[in-house]
Every structure is written in structure tokens, then in C-alpha cells.
């Protein structure tokens, strides 16, 4: 029944999602080029509020839980498992006050309204996964921007989406590169649960009436503990919640 309803409701959600991307593309351009960073960020926050709202068109529910007393004005690295493209709008919107920037594939900086533009000028890191040197260089530059601007990062250390919700092994290289230039960054695990179910049949039909959750777990001070151990601890914490 949920799949059947998806055939009926998905076109409305998909059209709304794409329409928002097209509408906000010129809005972002005007905000950034005429009014600067703060106005552009506000436009991105509003865009992602409405993108999250499109999830409800197919009856899906977003629950974002943050019971942690996270600091304002301190760089943080939000480390999350990755289940679908739809992981991202809730993280951008609900974590907006932390100025969190994404580490993303360089391929995404072309051809996608709003998203590509934001990735190019938003201040995050766009990496070429086929070029290790370029990737590390971009992460190092991003780490410097984090330190200088008190920005945060969002990273999916699995390297690819989990199509069944099972957490894949986390890679620590990206986190290590950021901490090298921004050692004061706080590590914050984010457990994403059931967002993969929204696209269990692909982008059409979208699955319907599915509860999805994002939960901020207890942060970790990096200290002198090896990064590999820190990332493994975060992976284990997320795995307990998700699986």
C-alpha cells in the first residue's frame, strides 16, 4: 500500500523539491553577490526548511533530536552515517546556527540548481575522490577556513550511501585532515535512521508514511587520542542507535 501511494504522491513531492531548487538558485545568487555571506546563508537555510517540508507531501515524518549543549562560536565536525540524498536538508536546516559546511563530491558542483551553486561558494570542501592529493588539499584549506571563521563541517565518513541502513566502516582520513588545521574542533556524532527507506524503490516512487530520525549524540573532545580511535568510537555509537 505504501508503495502504491508513492506512485500517486511522489510526483507532487518531486516537482515541489525541484521547483524549490530552481526558485532559490537566483535568490542565492542575488543574496551572495549583492548582500554577502550572511544573506546567502539565510537564503540557504530557508531553502532547506522548505525542502524538508516536501518530505511531508508523501507522509514521511522528520524527527531531529538534539539534547546536547553544543557550543556556539566553536568549530565542530558533525560526523554522520549516510543513507540517502535526503539526509542533507534536515542537517543544514536544524544545524543552521553552527554554520556547518559540507564535504561533498566535486561532481555535485555542476548542473544542479541551487545545490551546485551553494557548494561552489558556500565555503565547504569539494573533493575529487579519484585524486587523493586534491582531496587532502581541499580538506586542509577547509580546515583553515573553519579555524578562521569558527565554522563547522559535516562529513559522511562511510564514503558512500548505505542502501539498506546498515552502517558501513568509517574512514578517518577526512576527519584527520580537518583536525590537523583545526585541532580545537569538537567531534559530534549524528545518527541518521530510516532515511534510506524514503528511496528504497528509487526516486520514483518515493516510499510513503515513513518516520525518519536524526539524533545528535554526545560530542567527543579530540584531545590526544589517535583520530582512528575517535572515528571508530563514533562509528560504534552511531551503529548502536541506527541498527
Amino acid at each position: 500500500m505504501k508503495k502504491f501511494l508513492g506512485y500517486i504522491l511522489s510526483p507532487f513531492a518531486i516537482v515541489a523539491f525541484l521547483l524549490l531548487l530552481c526558485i532559490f538558485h537566483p535568490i542565492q545568487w542575488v543574496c551572495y553577490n549583492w548582500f554577502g555571506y550572511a544573506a546567502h546563508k539565510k537564503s540557504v537555510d530557508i531553502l532547506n526548511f522548505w525542502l524538508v517540508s516536501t518530505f511531508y507531501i508523501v507522509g514521511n515524518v522528520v524527527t531531529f533530536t538534539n539534547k546536547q549543549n553544543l557550543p556556539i562560536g566553536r568549530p565542530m565536525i558533525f560526523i554522520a552515517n549516510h543513507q540517502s540524498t535526503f539526509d542533507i536538508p534536515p542537517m543544514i536546516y536544524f544545524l543552521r546556527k553552527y554554520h556547518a559546511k559540507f564535504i561533498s563530491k566535486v561532481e555535485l558542483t555542476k548542473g544542479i540548481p541551487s545545490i551546485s551553486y551553494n557548494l561552489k561558494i558556500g565555503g565547504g570542501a569539494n573533493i575529487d575522490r579519484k585524486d587523493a592529493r586534491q582531496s587532502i588539499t581541499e580538506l586542509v584549506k577547509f580546515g583553515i577556513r573553519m579555524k578562521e571563521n569558527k565554522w563547522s563541517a559535516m562529513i559522511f565518513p562511510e564514503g558512500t550511501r548505505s542502501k539498506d541502513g546498515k552502517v558501513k566502516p568509517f574512514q578517518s582520513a577526512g576527519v584527520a585532515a580537518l583536525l590537523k588545521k583545526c585541532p580545537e574542533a569538537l567531534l559530534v556524532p549524528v545518527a541518521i535512521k530510516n532515511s534510506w527507506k524514503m528511496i528504497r524503490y528509487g526516486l520514483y516512487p518515493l516510499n510513503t508514511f515513513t518516520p525518519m530520525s536524526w539524533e545528535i549524540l554526545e560530542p567527543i573532545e579530540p584531545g590526544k587520542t589517535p583520530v582512528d580511535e575517535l572515528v571508530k568510537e563514533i562509528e560504534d555509537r552511531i551503529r548502536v542507535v541506527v541498527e
Side-chain angles (χ1 to χ4, degrees):
M1 176 59 77
K2 291 170 67 176
K3 186 175 182 180
F4 172 75
L5 290 172
Y7 283 109
I8 299 171
L9 298 175
S10 293
F12 299 100
I14 293 169
V15 169
F17 195 95
L18 295 176
L19 188 60
L20 285 166
L21 295 183
C22 293
I23 290 172
F24 272 84
H25 189 93
I27 292 174
Q28 283 192 65
W29 187 93
V30 169
C31 287
Y32 181 75
N33 288 282
W34 292 8
F35 304 105
Y37 170 82
H40 172 254
K41 183 183 180 303
K42 187 68 174 179
S43 72
V44 172
D45 294 342
I46 295 171
L47 165 62
N48 282 278
F49 168 80
W50 288 111
L51 292 179
V52 172
S53 298
T54 66
F55 299 4
Y56 290 84
I57 295 174
V58 290
N60 295 333
V61 176
V62 171
T63 301
F64 199 100
T65 304
N66 180 8
K67 297 180 179 179
Q68 311 302 325
N69 185 24
L70 300 180
I72 301 293
R74 176 184 177 181
M76 291 180 282
I77 304 174
F78 293 97
I79 302 172
N81 59 309
H82 193 20
Q83 296 190 347
S84 81
T85 303
F86 298 106
D87 293 340
I88 297 171
M91 292 185 69
I92 294 176
Y93 179 70
F94 289 104
L95 297 174
R96 61 193 181 279
K97 64 182 177 181
Y98 305 112
H99 293 260
K101 316 296 179 182
F102 269 96
I103 297 168
S104 56
K105 298 182 295 183
V106 70
E107 294 90 339
L108 297 177
T109 62
K110 297 179 181 179
I112 310 172
S114 282
I115 294 172
S116 295
Y117 184 75
N118 183 41
L119 291 176
K120 283 190 288 188
I121 58 92
N126 303 306
I127 62 174
D128 184 349
R129 291 193 291 187
K130 298 178 182 178
D131 186 339
R133 184 175 181 181
Q134 183 272 353
S135 298
I136 295 299
T137 299
E138 281 296 304
L139 289 169
V140 168
K141 290 179 180 178
F142 181 33
I144 294 172
R145 291 194 294 273
M146 289 174 61
K147 184 178 181 67
E148 292 177 345
N149 297 292
K150 307 302 181 185
W151 287 349
S152 296
M154 297 182 183
I155 185 169
F156 298 120
E158 289 167 293
T160 187
R161 292 186 292 111
S162 171
K163 296 181 180 180
D164 59 2
K166 300 293 184 181
V167 178
K168 299 177 181 291
F170 282 13
Q171 302 169 26
S172 61
V175 177
L178 294 177
L179 285 176
K180 185 175 182 180
K181 292 299 180 180
C182 190
E184 67 270 33
L186 184 67
L187 304 183
V188 184
V190 183
I192 301 175
K193 188 173 183 178
N194 290 336
S195 74
W196 70 274
K197 293 182 179 179
M198 188 169 175
I199 57 168
R200 70 187 308 168
Y201 310 120
L203 288 177
Y204 186 79
L206 296 171
N207 198 16
T208 60
F209 297 96
T210 299
M212 303 181 292
S213 67
W214 286 250
E215 182 179 355
I216 305 298
L217 306 181
E218 184 178 356
I220 298 175
E221 291 284 357
K224 296 182 179 180
T225 305
V227 177
D228 288 351
E229 294 182 18
L230 293 171
V231 172
K232 184 62 171 66
E233 181 180 348
I234 289 171
E235 176 191 331
D236 292 341
R237 289 189 188 183
I238 290 174
R239 193 182 299 275
V240 168
V241 175
V242 173
E243 299 180 358

